[in-house]
Amino acid sequence: MSSRIVPTDRVIRINPGSRFPDIRLSVVGGGEASLAASEGRPKLIVVYRGAFCPFCQGSLTEINNKLGDLEASNFDVIAVSADKQDVAEKLVRDLNLRFPVAYGLEEDVMRVLGLYVSDPTNYIEQKHRFAEPGYFVLNPENQLKYVALSSHPMGGRVNVDALLAGYNWSQGRIKEAPEFASVFWGSA
């Protein structure tokens, strides 16, 4: 007997190797930012649950502390959540974040990105749906290189040292064998 899946909901996700969609969000400090890679630089997009999440605060602080290492490897960084503007502004001030923080991520965009979406519960201040954590790494050509998504608060967190070691290794490999640039793990 063969197995068969009976679809219950439509699953959407972006596979590694795909071009990342042009998503624009408002950012703390004014204006808007595109999540797409720009100026031929790789980009780290960090999705966090919201300012209410202590795990997210820790992750954002770690990224902030490693920002020099990311910049040394030519990375642009942006963090994104469904938080409202005032909440995102307070988070940036409280954590002294030095990279762009976008707010107002809407549920339809969360689903296009393949993020897990949660309803607020009575133990958090959040009153609207939010994305569970994850991160996306885009190559300079705006293709999704790496993605890690989680369905729970403790997962989907970027380890900056491991990310940079792997990314820099792959960049060195491309210099030795240019065809390696077309390798996207998990794209099948």
Side-chain angles (χ1 to χ4, degrees), residues 78-156:
I78 189 168
V80 181
S81 80
D83 280 344
K84 304 297 183 204
Q85 180 177 355
D86 60 325
V87 174
E89 288 172 342
K90 183 177 183 324
L91 178 73
V92 168
R93 277 193 315 273
D94 289 351
L95 299 182
N96 193 31
L97 298 177
R98 301 180 324 246
F99 51 86
V101 174
Y103 56 87
L105 185 66
E106 296 180 358
E107 185 176 347
D108 61 334
V109 177
M110 294 176 203
R111 296 204 185 276
V112 164
L113 295 175
L115 296 163
Y116 293 93
V117 179
S118 289
D119 283 317
T121 60
N122 60 0
Y123 67 90
I124 60 174
E125 307 89 45
Q126 192 96 333
K127 301 300 178 213
H128 53 273
R129 287 186 167 176
F130 55 90
E132 290 298 336
Y135 68 90
F136 302 88
V137 174
L138 309 181
N139 69 14
E141 291 75 38
N142 197 42
Q143 293 171 293
L144 181 59
K145 189 71 177 171
Y146 312 129
V147 61
L149 306 177
S150 180
S151 65
H152 60 89
M154 292 70 66

Side-chain angles (χ1 to χ4, degrees), residues 17 139 141 143-146 165-185 187:
N139 69 14
E141 291 75 38
Q143 293 171 293
L144 181 59
K145 189 71 177 171
Y146 312 129
Y167 189 82
N168 291 332
W169 173 83
S170 69
Q171 293 305 108
R173 185 76 176 103
I174 289 168
K175 288 177 184 169
E176 296 169 14
E179 65 275 8
F180 193 73
S182 64
V183 173
F184 295 94
W185 298 295
S187 63

Side-chain angles (χ1 to χ4, degrees), residues 6-24:
V6 178
T8 57
D9 285 327
R10 189 169 157 227
V11 176
I12 303 171
R13 73 173 184 202
I14 303 168
N15 284 326
S18 300
R19 290 195 53 78
F20 201 78
D22 185 21
I23 299 168
R24 297 184 172 280

